[in-house]
Amino acid sequence: QVQLVESGGGLVQPGGSLRLSCTASGFAFDFYAIGWFRQVPGKGREGVACVSSDDGRVYSDSVKGRFTISRDNAKNTVYLQMNSLKPEDSATYYCASTGHNQCPSLNPFGWGYWGQGTQVTVSS
């Protein structure tokens, strides 16, 4: 069965860094794009980044230049390196799988499988 498990969240000061991991199982990971999304209470889920099967990368404007998405197919893992973190980056971060080889839009609707989320809090 398909599983996605996020890890790496925590509390960090503004300007700090975190690296999130998403480890997948139960499907042909190598062939599909994987995305990162985030959500805060009372707001909709926001697309953050996506990496395609051939390492093409897409970022939201709010994180471009600060976050980097990458994948290690040998480990069935996608990473989100988050640098220069701001308080407004605080959210629950989720990874998701898609049936597309290439990245679709960062609209969260239509992504098939989701992890449980990992909390990121950026605060002094």
Side-chain angles (χ1 to χ4, degrees):
Q1 57 186 351
V2 174
Q3 291 188 18
L4 296 164
V5 180
E6 303 95 335
S7 62
L11 175 64
V12 63
Q13 294 184 342
S17 298
L18 285 173
R19 189 179 74 161
L20 307 183
S21 298
C22 170
T23 299
S25 61
F27 66 100
F29 176 86
D30 299 15
F31 295 98
Y32 298 108
I34 304 292
W36 281 99
F37 301 81
R38 65 189 183 187
Q39 188 168 21
V40 299
K43 295 185 178 180
R45 196 161 295 185
E46 173 192 9
V48 174
C50 177
V51 59
S52 70
S53 63
D54 61 355
D55 249 351
R57 303 172 191 187
V58 178
Y59 300 95
S60 68
D61 289 341
S62 63
V63 308
K64 189 175 179 63
R66 299 187 298 120
F67 292 10
T68 302
I69 189 169
S70 61
R71 67 191 300 153
D72 184 343
N73 289 340
K75 297 181 178 179
N76 278 14
T77 299
V78 168
Y79 303 98
L80 185 68
Q81 178 67 47
M82 306 187 295
N83 298 327
S84 301
L85 283 162
K86 305 174 181 179
E88 52 263 44
D89 295 317
S90 297
T92 302
Y93 283 72
Y94 301 87
C95 64
S97 65
T98 175
H100 300 272
N101 297 102
Q102 301 299 309
C103 289
S105 76
L106 291 175
N107 188 318
F109 296 105
W111 290 71
Y113 294 92
W114 297 82
Q116 82 290 344
T118 186
Q119 178 64 223
V120 172
T121 302
V122 184
S123 176
S124 299

